[in-house]
Amino acid sequence: MSTLGQQLKQLRNNKKLSQPEFAEQVGIEQSYLSKLENDKSIPSNDIFRSLLLALDMSIDEFMKPLAASHDKARLIQITDVEQWLKKQAVNTSAKQRTLIYLVMFLISFGCALFYVGHKNYVFNERFYEYRSIGIIKADEPLNVFNHWKNYIIDPSAEKRAEKLKEMLARRVELFKLMDEYIGESFVEEVTGGKRVYTTDAIPRFISHAGNSWLEFIGLFAVVFGLALALFEPKLTRHP
């Protein structure tokens, strides 16, 4: 952290100017310039502007290395510098508020996102499996596949064997996964008749990658928000 005098001397040397040459450009005595460079005097606001003009620099460029200087008590005696420091303080305060709001949003949003993913509110993971044994003809009862023996008019062994063969041939099982319980059974009209779907009412849980991503993004947002809060002093300090 340099002082105003050290900064002035460094900039003059960078321009490869001697004290007399630079003093002449500024319009001050060499002895006075020497006092300024040795921090034995503080320039007036008008002389400070002349120094900037001779250095061909803006106040932002000149003050950047002095923003965190321990010499601020002397620097604020220069009106332009005092105003510049106040402006920087206001900007820093605004940055801090913005960063705090961002941190609060990231942590709140991240927690909410993680909770939504953990509770499966967006992507359902609970399903009910409904099973249909086969197609039931229009003139048959809905439980024909389980109780076909009760509906045989001719109970002879030959007829029973023939009916068994028919029922086995018609046995083509289908399954439906429903994301909500709609009762123990339901009937669906299909070509050639209808199907009866039944369930044991015990839900099946199938993982969904979407929920894992929601949890990951939520956790990342929280960690990123905490990291911003941790590094806030470095992110909002004077450039």
Side-chain angles (χ1 to χ4, degrees), residues 131-161:
R131 169 175 169 263
S132 173
I133 299 175
I135 297 177
I136 301 170
K137 295 178 182 178
D139 58 347
E140 293 179 330
L142 297 179
N143 61 353
V144 65
F145 279 97
N146 293 323
H147 301 284
W148 58 270
K149 295 178 183 178
N150 299 333
Y151 303 112
I152 298 177
I153 298 176
D154 185 351
S156 64
E158 182 180 349
K159 287 295 184 180
R160 290 171 65 88

Side-chain angles (χ1 to χ4, degrees), residues 73-90:
R74 296 176 67 247
L75 290 173
I76 60 174
Q77 297 178 47
I78 306 172
T79 304
D80 286 356
V81 172
E82 182 184 16
Q83 295 301 317
W84 185 88
L85 290 172
K86 287 181 178 179
K87 180 180 177 182
Q88 296 306 303
V90 170

Side-chain angles (χ1 to χ4, degrees), residues 135-140 170 189-195:
I135 297 177
I136 301 170
K137 295 178 182 178
D139 58 347
E140 293 179 330
R170 289 168 55 189
E189 298 292 334
V190 296
T191 303
K194 51 195 170 188
R195 281 183 174 274

Side-chain angles (χ1 to χ4, degrees), residues 177-213:
L177 285 177
M178 311 295 287
D179 58 5
E180 61 180 11
Y181 182 68
I182 57 175
E184 293 182 359
S185 64
F186 68 90
V187 179
E188 183 180 77
E189 298 292 334
V190 296
T191 303
K194 51 195 170 188
R195 281 183 174 274
V196 175
Y197 287 88
T198 60
T199 183
D200 55 11
I202 299 175
R204 273 67 168 166
F205 291 90
I206 303 174
S207 297
H208 195 294
N211 290 318
S212 297
W213 274 107

Side-chain angles (χ1 to χ4, degrees), residues 16 27 53 56 68 81 85 106-107 119 121 134 142 160 196:
K16 296 182 171 42
L53 187 62
D56 192 23
V81 172
L85 290 172
L106 285 172
I107 293 177
K119 290 295 185 178
Y121 287 151
L142 297 179
R160 290 171 65 88
V196 175

Side-chain angles (χ1 to χ4, degrees), residues 1 42 63-64 81 99 125 127 158 177 223 230:
M1 293 183 289
I42 196 77
M63 289 299 301
K64 186 175 180 180
V81 172
L99 192 60
E125 293 187 350
F127 298 90
E158 182 180 349
L177 285 177
V223 172
L230 182 64

